[in-house]
Short mmCIF file of all heavy atoms in Angstrom, two decimals:
data_model
loop_
_atom_site.label_atom_id
_atom_site.label_comp_id
_atom_site.label_asym_id
_atom_site.label_seq_id
_atom_site.Cartn_x
_atom_site.Cartn_y
_atom_site.Cartn_z
N GLY A 17 2.16 9.67 18.91
CA GLY A 17 2.26 11.05 18.45
C GLY A 17 0.96 11.58 17.88
O GLY A 17 0.96 12.56 17.15
N HIS A 18 -0.17 10.95 18.23
CA HIS A 18 -1.46 11.33 17.64
C HIS A 18 -1.77 12.82 17.83
O HIS A 18 -2.18 13.49 16.89
CB HIS A 18 -2.58 10.48 18.22
CG HIS A 18 -3.94 10.93 17.81
ND1 HIS A 18 -4.37 10.89 16.51
CD2 HIS A 18 -4.96 11.46 18.52
CE1 HIS A 18 -5.60 11.36 16.43
NE2 HIS A 18 -5.98 11.71 17.65
N ALA A 19 -1.60 13.35 19.04
CA ALA A 19 -1.94 14.75 19.28
C ALA A 19 -1.09 15.67 18.40
O ALA A 19 -1.60 16.63 17.82
CB ALA A 19 -1.75 15.10 20.75
N HIS A 20 0.20 15.37 18.27
CA HIS A 20 1.08 16.18 17.44
C HIS A 20 0.66 16.07 15.97
O HIS A 20 0.60 17.08 15.27
CB HIS A 20 2.53 15.74 17.60
CG HIS A 20 3.46 16.43 16.67
ND1 HIS A 20 3.81 17.75 16.81
CD2 HIS A 20 4.10 15.98 15.56
CE1 HIS A 20 4.63 18.08 15.84
NE2 HIS A 20 4.82 17.03 15.06
N GLU A 21 0.35 14.86 15.50
CA GLU A 21 -0.06 14.67 14.11
C GLU A 21 -1.38 15.39 13.83
O GLU A 21 -1.56 15.99 12.78
CB GLU A 21 -0.21 13.19 13.80
CG GLU A 21 1.12 12.46 13.78
CD GLU A 21 0.95 10.96 13.70
OE1 GLU A 21 -0.19 10.48 13.67
OE2 GLU A 21 1.98 10.28 13.69
N ARG A 22 -2.30 15.33 14.79
CA ARG A 22 -3.60 16.00 14.62
C ARG A 22 -3.40 17.52 14.51
O ARG A 22 -3.97 18.16 13.64
CB ARG A 22 -4.53 15.66 15.79
CG ARG A 22 -5.87 16.33 15.67
CD ARG A 22 -6.82 15.82 16.75
NE ARG A 22 -8.03 16.59 16.82
CZ ARG A 22 -9.03 16.54 15.95
NH1 ARG A 22 -8.95 15.74 14.91
NH2 ARG A 22 -10.09 17.29 16.09
N MET A 23 -2.57 18.08 15.40
CA MET A 23 -2.32 19.52 15.35
C MET A 23 -1.64 19.91 14.04
O MET A 23 -1.96 20.92 13.44
CB MET A 23 -1.48 19.97 16.54
CG MET A 23 -2.23 19.95 17.86
SD MET A 23 -3.81 20.83 17.81
CE MET A 23 -3.27 22.48 17.49
N SER A 24 -0.71 19.07 13.58
CA SER A 24 -0.04 19.33 12.31
C SER A 24 -1.04 19.33 11.16
O SER A 24 -1.03 20.19 10.29
CB SER A 24 1.05 18.30 12.07
OG SER A 24 1.64 18.48 10.81
N ALA A 25 -1.96 18.35 11.16
CA ALA A 25 -2.97 18.27 10.10
C ALA A 25 -3.93 19.45 10.19
O ALA A 25 -4.32 20.01 9.17
CB ALA A 25 -3.73 16.95 10.20
N LEU A 26 -4.31 19.86 11.40
CA LEU A 26 -5.20 21.01 11.55
C LEU A 26 -4.54 22.26 10.98
O LEU A 26 -5.18 23.05 10.28
CB LEU A 26 -5.55 21.23 13.02
CG LEU A 26 -6.54 20.24 13.61
CD1 LEU A 26 -6.62 20.42 15.13
CD2 LEU A 26 -7.91 20.38 13.00
N ARG A 27 -3.24 22.45 11.26
CA ARG A 27 -2.53 23.60 10.70
C ARG A 27 -2.46 23.49 9.18
O ARG A 27 -2.59 24.49 8.47
CB ARG A 27 -1.13 23.71 11.30
CG ARG A 27 -1.12 24.34 12.68
CD ARG A 27 0.28 24.66 13.13
NE ARG A 27 1.13 23.50 13.25
CZ ARG A 27 1.18 22.71 14.31
NH1 ARG A 27 0.43 22.95 15.35
NH2 ARG A 27 1.99 21.67 14.33
N THR A 28 -2.24 22.28 8.66
CA THR A 28 -2.18 22.07 7.22
C THR A 28 -3.46 22.53 6.56
O THR A 28 -3.45 23.15 5.51
CB THR A 28 -1.93 20.58 6.90
OG1 THR A 28 -0.65 20.23 7.39
CG2 THR A 28 -2.00 20.30 5.42
N PHE A 29 -4.59 22.23 7.19
CA PHE A 29 -5.88 22.61 6.63
C PHE A 29 -6.28 24.03 6.99
O PHE A 29 -7.34 24.48 6.63
CB PHE A 29 -6.97 21.64 7.09
CG PHE A 29 -6.98 20.38 6.30
CD1 PHE A 29 -6.23 19.29 6.69
CD2 PHE A 29 -7.71 20.28 5.13
CE1 PHE A 29 -6.22 18.13 5.95
CE2 PHE A 29 -7.71 19.13 4.38
CZ PHE A 29 -6.97 18.05 4.79
N GLY A 30 -5.42 24.74 7.71
CA GLY A 30 -5.71 26.12 8.04
C GLY A 30 -6.76 26.29 9.10
O GLY A 30 -7.38 27.33 9.21
N PHE A 31 -7.02 25.24 9.91
CA PHE A 31 -8.05 25.37 10.92
C PHE A 31 -7.70 26.49 11.88
O PHE A 31 -6.58 26.66 12.30
CB PHE A 31 -8.25 24.08 11.71
CG PHE A 31 -9.39 24.19 12.67
CD1 PHE A 31 -10.69 24.19 12.20
CD2 PHE A 31 -9.17 24.36 14.01
CE1 PHE A 31 -11.75 24.33 13.06
CE2 PHE A 31 -10.23 24.50 14.89
CZ PHE A 31 -11.52 24.47 14.41
N GLY A 32 -8.69 27.29 12.19
CA GLY A 32 -8.47 28.45 13.02
C GLY A 32 -8.44 29.70 12.16
O GLY A 32 -8.55 30.81 12.64
N GLY A 33 -8.33 29.52 10.86
CA GLY A 33 -8.35 30.63 9.92
C GLY A 33 -9.64 30.59 9.14
O GLY A 33 -10.68 30.18 9.64
N ASP A 34 -9.57 30.95 7.88
CA ASP A 34 -10.77 31.02 7.05
C ASP A 34 -10.99 29.78 6.21
O ASP A 34 -11.90 29.75 5.38
CB ASP A 34 -10.69 32.24 6.12
CG ASP A 34 -10.67 33.53 6.89
OD1 ASP A 34 -11.31 33.57 7.96
OD2 ASP A 34 -10.02 34.48 6.45
N ASP A 35 -10.18 28.74 6.38
CA ASP A 35 -10.26 27.60 5.49
C ASP A 35 -11.35 26.60 5.85
O ASP A 35 -11.81 25.86 5.01
CB ASP A 35 -8.90 26.89 5.42
CG ASP A 35 -7.87 27.79 4.78
OD1 ASP A 35 -7.99 28.05 3.58
OD2 ASP A 35 -6.99 28.26 5.50
N TRP A 36 -11.77 26.55 7.13
CA TRP A 36 -12.89 25.71 7.54
C TRP A 36 -14.06 26.64 7.79
O TRP A 36 -14.00 27.51 8.64
CB TRP A 36 -12.56 24.94 8.81
CG TRP A 36 -11.52 23.89 8.67
CD1 TRP A 36 -10.18 24.08 8.74
CD2 TRP A 36 -11.72 22.51 8.45
NE1 TRP A 36 -9.53 22.89 8.57
CE2 TRP A 36 -10.45 21.90 8.40
CE3 TRP A 36 -12.85 21.71 8.29
CZ2 TRP A 36 -10.29 20.53 8.19
CZ3 TRP A 36 -12.67 20.35 8.10
CH2 TRP A 36 -11.41 19.77 8.04
N GLY A 37 -15.13 26.44 7.08
CA GLY A 37 -16.32 27.26 7.30
C GLY A 37 -17.34 26.46 8.08
O GLY A 37 -17.07 25.39 8.59
N GLY A 38 -18.54 26.98 8.15
CA GLY A 38 -19.63 26.25 8.78
C GLY A 38 -20.13 26.92 10.04
O GLY A 38 -19.72 28.02 10.39
N GLN A 39 -21.03 26.22 10.71
CA GLN A 39 -21.73 26.78 11.85
C GLN A 39 -21.40 26.08 13.15
O GLN A 39 -22.03 26.36 14.17
CB GLN A 39 -23.24 26.67 11.61
CG GLN A 39 -23.68 27.28 10.31
CD GLN A 39 -25.09 26.86 9.95
OE1 GLN A 39 -25.67 25.97 10.55
NE2 GLN A 39 -25.65 27.49 8.94
N ARG A 40 -20.47 25.15 13.17
CA ARG A 40 -20.20 24.34 14.36
C ARG A 40 -19.03 24.91 15.14
O ARG A 40 -18.01 25.28 14.57
CB ARG A 40 -19.91 22.90 13.93
CG ARG A 40 -19.88 21.95 15.08
CD ARG A 40 -19.78 20.52 14.59
NE ARG A 40 -18.39 20.15 14.37
CZ ARG A 40 -17.98 19.28 13.46
NH1 ARG A 40 -18.84 18.70 12.67
NH2 ARG A 40 -16.71 18.98 13.35
N GLU A 41 -19.17 24.92 16.45
CA GLU A 41 -18.09 25.33 17.34
C GLU A 41 -17.05 24.21 17.40
O GLU A 41 -17.37 23.04 17.25
CB GLU A 41 -18.63 25.57 18.75
CG GLU A 41 -19.63 26.70 18.83
CD GLU A 41 -18.97 28.06 18.93
OE1 GLU A 41 -17.87 28.14 19.50
OE2 GLU A 41 -19.57 29.01 18.43
N GLY A 42 -15.81 24.58 17.63
CA GLY A 42 -14.76 23.58 17.78
C GLY A 42 -14.22 23.13 16.44
O GLY A 42 -14.56 23.67 15.38
N GLY A 43 -13.36 22.15 16.48
CA GLY A 43 -12.70 21.68 15.28
C GLY A 43 -13.31 20.41 14.73
O GLY A 43 -14.28 19.88 15.26
N PRO A 44 -12.72 19.92 13.64
CA PRO A 44 -13.21 18.68 13.03
C PRO A 44 -12.93 17.48 13.92
O PRO A 44 -11.98 17.48 14.70
CB PRO A 44 -12.41 18.59 11.73
CG PRO A 44 -11.17 19.39 11.98
CD PRO A 44 -11.56 20.47 12.93
N THR A 45 -13.76 16.46 13.78
CA THR A 45 -13.52 15.20 14.48
C THR A 45 -12.32 14.51 13.84
O THR A 45 -11.88 14.88 12.74
CB THR A 45 -14.75 14.27 14.39
OG1 THR A 45 -14.94 13.90 13.01
CG2 THR A 45 -16.01 14.94 14.93
N ASP A 46 -11.80 13.49 14.51
CA ASP A 46 -10.69 12.73 13.92
C ASP A 46 -11.09 12.13 12.57
O ASP A 46 -10.31 12.16 11.62
CB ASP A 46 -10.24 11.60 14.86
CG ASP A 46 -9.46 12.12 16.06
OD1 ASP A 46 -9.01 13.28 16.04
OD2 ASP A 46 -9.30 11.34 17.02
N ALA A 47 -12.31 11.60 12.48
CA ALA A 47 -12.78 10.99 11.23
C ALA A 47 -12.91 12.04 10.13
O ALA A 47 -12.52 11.79 8.98
CB ALA A 47 -14.11 10.28 11.44
N GLU A 48 -13.43 13.22 10.46
CA GLU A 48 -13.56 14.29 9.47
C GLU A 48 -12.19 14.75 8.98
O GLU A 48 -11.98 14.96 7.78
CB GLU A 48 -14.31 15.49 10.07
CG GLU A 48 -15.77 15.23 10.30
CD GLU A 48 -16.44 16.30 11.13
OE1 GLU A 48 -15.74 17.05 11.86
OE2 GLU A 48 -17.68 16.39 11.05
N LEU A 49 -11.25 14.87 9.90
CA LEU A 49 -9.92 15.31 9.53
C LEU A 49 -9.22 14.28 8.65
O LEU A 49 -8.59 14.62 7.65
CB LEU A 49 -9.09 15.60 10.78
CG LEU A 49 -7.75 16.27 10.56
CD1 LEU A 49 -7.89 17.60 9.82
CD2 LEU A 49 -7.06 16.48 11.90
N ALA A 50 -9.36 13.00 8.99
CA ALA A 50 -8.77 11.94 8.17
C ALA A 50 -9.39 11.92 6.78
O ALA A 50 -8.69 11.78 5.77
CB ALA A 50 -8.93 10.59 8.86
N PHE A 51 -10.72 12.06 6.71
CA PHE A 51 -11.42 12.08 5.43
C PHE A 51 -10.96 13.27 4.58
O PHE A 51 -10.65 13.14 3.40
CB PHE A 51 -12.93 12.13 5.66
CG PHE A 51 -13.74 12.30 4.41
CD1 PHE A 51 -13.80 11.28 3.47
CD2 PHE A 51 -14.44 13.47 4.17
CE1 PHE A 51 -14.55 11.43 2.30
CE2 PHE A 51 -15.19 13.63 3.02
CZ PHE A 51 -15.25 12.61 2.09
N ALA A 52 -10.90 14.46 5.19
CA ALA A 52 -10.51 15.67 4.47
C ALA A 52 -9.07 15.56 3.98
O ALA A 52 -8.75 15.98 2.86
CB ALA A 52 -10.68 16.90 5.35
N THR A 53 -8.19 15.00 4.80
CA THR A 53 -6.79 14.84 4.40
C THR A 53 -6.68 13.90 3.20
O THR A 53 -5.99 14.20 2.23
CB THR A 53 -5.95 14.29 5.58
OG1 THR A 53 -6.04 15.22 6.67
CG2 THR A 53 -4.49 14.13 5.19
N SER A 54 -7.39 12.78 3.26
CA SER A 54 -7.36 11.83 2.14
C SER A 54 -7.98 12.44 0.89
O SER A 54 -7.45 12.29 -0.21
CB SER A 54 -8.12 10.55 2.52
OG SER A 54 -7.47 9.90 3.57
N LEU A 55 -9.10 13.11 1.04
CA LEU A 55 -9.78 13.72 -0.10
C LEU A 55 -8.91 14.79 -0.74
O LEU A 55 -8.82 14.89 -1.96
CB LEU A 55 -11.12 14.30 0.33
CG LEU A 55 -12.02 14.84 -0.76
CD1 LEU A 55 -12.34 13.77 -1.80
CD2 LEU A 55 -13.30 15.38 -0.15
N ASN A 56 -8.24 15.59 0.09
CA ASN A 56 -7.39 16.65 -0.43
C ASN A 56 -6.23 16.09 -1.25
O ASN A 56 -5.79 16.72 -2.20
CB ASN A 56 -6.86 17.53 0.69
CG ASN A 56 -6.08 18.69 0.14
OD1 ASN A 56 -6.63 19.53 -0.54
ND2 ASN A 56 -4.79 18.73 0.41
N SER A 57 -5.75 14.91 -0.91
CA SER A 57 -4.65 14.32 -1.69
C SER A 57 -5.13 13.94 -3.09
O SER A 57 -4.35 13.91 -4.03
CB SER A 57 -4.05 13.11 -0.97
OG SER A 57 -4.95 12.04 -0.96
N LEU A 58 -6.42 13.68 -3.24
CA LEU A 58 -6.99 13.32 -4.54
C LEU A 58 -7.53 14.53 -5.31
O LEU A 58 -7.48 14.55 -6.53
CB LEU A 58 -8.14 12.31 -4.34
CG LEU A 58 -7.76 10.99 -3.71
CD1 LEU A 58 -9.02 10.19 -3.38
CD2 LEU A 58 -6.85 10.20 -4.64
N ALA A 59 -8.08 15.50 -4.58
CA ALA A 59 -8.72 16.65 -5.22
C ALA A 59 -8.49 17.91 -4.37
O ALA A 59 -9.36 18.32 -3.61
CB ALA A 59 -10.22 16.39 -5.38
N PRO A 60 -7.31 18.51 -4.49
CA PRO A 60 -7.05 19.72 -3.70
C PRO A 60 -7.92 20.89 -4.14
O PRO A 60 -8.41 20.93 -5.26
CB PRO A 60 -5.57 20.01 -3.98
CG PRO A 60 -5.23 19.25 -5.21
CD PRO A 60 -6.20 18.12 -5.33
N GLY A 61 -8.14 21.83 -3.21
CA GLY A 61 -8.88 23.04 -3.54
C GLY A 61 -10.35 23.01 -3.23
O GLY A 61 -11.09 23.91 -3.63
N LEU A 62 -10.81 22.02 -2.48
CA LEU A 62 -12.22 21.94 -2.11
C LEU A 62 -12.46 22.80 -0.87
O LEU A 62 -11.53 23.14 -0.14
CB LEU A 62 -12.61 20.49 -1.82
CG LEU A 62 -12.41 19.52 -2.98
CD1 LEU A 62 -12.64 18.09 -2.52
CD2 LEU A 62 -13.33 19.87 -4.14
N ASP A 63 -13.71 23.15 -0.62
CA ASP A 63 -14.08 23.90 0.58
C ASP A 63 -14.68 22.94 1.60
O ASP A 63 -15.45 22.04 1.25
CB ASP A 63 -15.10 25.00 0.23
CG ASP A 63 -14.50 26.09 -0.64
OD1 ASP A 63 -13.36 26.51 -0.37
OD2 ASP A 63 -15.16 26.50 -1.61
N TYR A 64 -14.36 23.17 2.88
CA TYR A 64 -14.79 22.30 3.98
C TYR A 64 -15.61 23.12 4.97
O TYR A 64 -15.20 24.19 5.40
CB TYR A 64 -13.56 21.69 4.67
CG TYR A 64 -12.81 20.78 3.73
CD1 TYR A 64 -11.86 21.28 2.86
CD2 TYR A 64 -13.08 19.43 3.70
CE1 TYR A 64 -11.20 20.46 1.97
CE2 TYR A 64 -12.41 18.60 2.82
CZ TYR A 64 -11.47 19.11 1.96
OH TYR A 64 -10.83 18.28 1.08
N TRP A 65 -16.79 22.59 5.35
CA TRP A 65 -17.74 23.29 6.21
C TRP A 65 -18.16 22.37 7.35
O TRP A 65 -18.71 21.29 7.12
CB TRP A 65 -18.98 23.69 5.41
CG TRP A 65 -18.65 24.47 4.18
CD1 TRP A 65 -18.37 23.96 2.94
CD2 TRP A 65 -18.54 25.88 4.06
NE1 TRP A 65 -18.10 24.98 2.06
CE2 TRP A 65 -18.20 26.18 2.73
CE3 TRP A 65 -18.72 26.93 4.96
CZ2 TRP A 65 -18.02 27.48 2.28
CZ3 TRP A 65 -18.54 28.22 4.50
CH2 TRP A 65 -18.20 28.48 3.18
N LEU A 66 -17.92 22.79 8.58
CA LEU A 66 -18.29 22.01 9.76
C LEU A 66 -19.71 22.35 10.18
O LEU A 66 -20.06 23.52 10.34
CB LEU A 66 -17.34 22.32 10.91
CG LEU A 66 -15.86 22.00 10.66
CD1 LEU A 66 -15.01 22.51 11.82
CD2 LEU A 66 -15.65 20.52 10.45
N HIS A 67 -20.54 21.31 10.38
CA HIS A 67 -21.94 21.49 10.79
C HIS A 67 -22.27 20.50 11.89
O HIS A 67 -21.53 19.56 12.14
CB HIS A 67 -22.88 21.27 9.61
CG HIS A 67 -22.77 22.30 8.54
ND1 HIS A 67 -23.37 23.53 8.63
CD2 HIS A 67 -22.12 22.29 7.35
CE1 HIS A 67 -23.09 24.24 7.55
NE2 HIS A 67 -22.33 23.51 6.76
N ALA A 68 -23.42 20.69 12.51
CA ALA A 68 -23.96 19.74 13.49
C ALA A 68 -25.47 19.70 13.34
O ALA A 68 -26.11 20.73 13.08
CB ALA A 68 -23.58 20.14 14.92
N ASP A 69 -26.05 18.50 13.50
CA ASP A 69 -27.50 18.36 13.50
C ASP A 69 -28.06 18.98 14.78
O ASP A 69 -27.32 19.32 15.71
CB ASP A 69 -27.89 16.88 13.44
CG ASP A 69 -27.58 16.25 12.08
OD1 ASP A 69 -27.53 16.99 11.08
OD2 ASP A 69 -27.39 15.02 12.03
N ASP A 70 -29.38 19.08 14.86
CA ASP A 70 -30.03 19.65 16.04
C ASP A 70 -29.68 18.89 17.32
O ASP A 70 -29.64 19.47 18.40
CB ASP A 70 -31.55 19.68 15.86
CG ASP A 70 -31.99 20.70 14.83
OD1 ASP A 70 -31.22 21.65 14.55
OD2 ASP A 70 -33.10 20.55 14.30
N ASP A 71 -29.42 17.57 17.18
CA ASP A 71 -29.07 16.78 18.36
C ASP A 71 -27.57 16.83 18.70
O ASP A 71 -27.10 16.18 19.61
CB ASP A 71 -29.51 15.33 18.18
CG ASP A 71 -28.75 14.59 17.08
OD1 ASP A 71 -27.86 15.19 16.43
OD2 ASP A 71 -29.06 13.40 16.86
N GLY A 72 -26.80 17.64 17.94
CA GLY A 72 -25.37 17.79 18.20
C GLY A 72 -24.48 16.88 17.39
O GLY A 72 -23.25 16.97 17.48
N THR A 73 -25.04 15.98 16.59
CA THR A 73 -24.25 15.07 15.77
C THR A 73 -23.45 15.86 14.75
O THR A 73 -24.03 16.59 13.93
CB THR A 73 -25.14 14.05 15.05
OG1 THR A 73 -25.91 13.33 16.02
CG2 THR A 73 -24.32 13.08 14.22
#
Side-chain angles (χ1 to χ4, degrees):
H18 172 65
H20 174 72
E21 291 170 0
R22 180 173 170 74
M23 289 308 297
S24 176
L26 286 170
R27 280 191 298 277
T28 295
F29 280 90
F31 185 73
D34 296 327
D35 295 291
W36 291 85
Q39 306 166 349
R40 191 172 86 210
E41 297 278 329
T45 65
D46 286 344
E48 289 169 339
L49 189 57
F51 174 69
T53 301
S54 296
L55 186 58
N56 185 64
S57 70
L58 298 171
L62 301 172
D63 293 317
Y64 295 85
W65 306 88
L66 299 174
H67 292 280
D69 290 334
D70 290 339
D71 66 0
T73 303

